Amino acid sequence: MAVLPILSYPDPRLRTIAAPVKEVDAEIKTLISDMIETMYAADGIGLAASQVDRHIQLIVMDLSENRDPPMVFINPKVTPLVEEKQPYEEGCLSVPDVYDKVERPSKVRIEALDADGEAIDEIAEGLLAVCIQHEMDHLNGVIFVDYLSRLKQTRARDKVKKVLKIREKQSQQAAKQPEATNV
Ligand code: K1U
Ligand code: ZN
């Protein structure tokens, strides 16, 4: 398994529309494992393939507190079941350290395939409804900051630049340190 690099806003590759998965083969299964490892390494609760520069309709998710088996959605279709929208403070691994309220339909139907190619057909509310709509947006080249004001989008760009610079400095410093020994 491998931790994959996550694209950061405003990388134009995040705007690519994802293509359907044709077959759940060994290559897709490896990508699923790598995406799950990447999501956990980044402390996320979801990840769309678009965020790791793979433009196919694949999402992984784990909303549990104690790492239940992660959910996998292949070729998902999400249909709102109510007109009522609810606000939720969203975050995004591609927009580090930026959080803001987004309003989305509170109840949706999810149709997809799982990692074994079996059909999923479920009704989602709460965080699952929020997260699946956020991840579906990624597959369609949409990022949650697109729902915010121009001013907030500019601030988000500046914040991401700052966070990436700090992370870069930290990784350079870590590379200079002698490796910790397990004694
Ligand atoms: O798609 C992503 O970038 C993953 C994203 C999923 C998400 C979180 C919250 C609302 C909508 C979608 C994250 O995992 S962000 C990091 C995170 O773990 C988190 C942030 C806010 C609330 C809960 C979790
Ligand atoms: Zn996101």
Side-chain angles (χ1 to χ4, degrees):
M1 293 218 288
V3 174
L4 307 170
I6 297 176
L7 299 177
S8 297
Y9 177 75
D11 192 311
R13 290 173 289 180
L14 286 168
R15 300 304 183 179
T16 312
I17 308 290
V21 172
K22 288 192 185 128
E23 196 193 341
V24 185
D25 56 15
E27 198 191 325
I28 294 292
K29 289 193 178 188
T30 301
L31 178 60
I32 291 170
S33 302
D34 291 348
M35 283 176 59
I36 291 168
E37 193 176 355
T38 305
M39 172 181 73
Y40 287 142
D43 284 332
I45 56 171
L47 189 70
S50 321
Q51 293 176 276
V52 291
D53 205 18
R54 291 295 311 272
H55 302 285
I56 55 170
Q57 295 175 9
L58 170 61
I59 290 166
V60 298
M61 211 182 282
D62 183 0
L63 308 181
S64 71
E65 287 189 358
N66 15 330
R67 293 209 180 172
D68 289 350
M71 294 177 275
V72 176
F73 301 96
I74 297 168
N75 297 341
K77 182 180 155 210
V78 173
T79 314
L81 295 179
V82 292
E83 278 186 20
E84 178 217 348
K85 290 187 175 183
Q86 260 184 355
Y88 190 88
E89 181 100 349
E90 297 193 13
C92 181
L93 298 176
S94 295
V95 195
D97 284 9
V98 175
Y99 300 91
D100 216 317
K101 279 203 180 81
V102 176
E103 292 197 352
R104 301 186 188 270
S106 56
K107 190 173 176 183
V108 297
R109 177 181 181 186
I110 308 172
E111 293 164 274
L113 296 178
D114 68 15
D116 300 315
E118 298 292 328
I120 297 170
D121 187 348
E122 62 181 82
I123 308 297
E125 292 180 89
L127 185 55
L128 178 56
V130 172
C131 199
I132 193 73
Q133 291 178 83
H134 176 112
E135 304 306 338
M136 280 302 290
D137 272 355
H138 278 303
L139 300 184
N140 290 316
V142 176
I143 302 161
F144 87 102
V145 292
D146 298 347
Y147 298 108
L148 308 179
S149 67
R150 287 268 167 214
L151 176 64
K152 285 186 173 184
Q153 289 175 20
T154 305
R155 283 187 185 151
R157 269 168 210 254
D158 293 346
K159 182 77 185 227
V160 172
K161 253 190 217 163
K162 213 168 154 183
V163 171
L164 293 182
K165 239 186 216 169
I166 292 169
R167 284 185 184 173
E168 177 64 24
K169 244 187 206 166
Q170 284 171 340
S171 70
Q172 281 169 358
Q173 272 168 355
K176 271 192 225 155
Q177 305 287 329
E179 214 166 291
T181 48
N182 294 320
V183 277

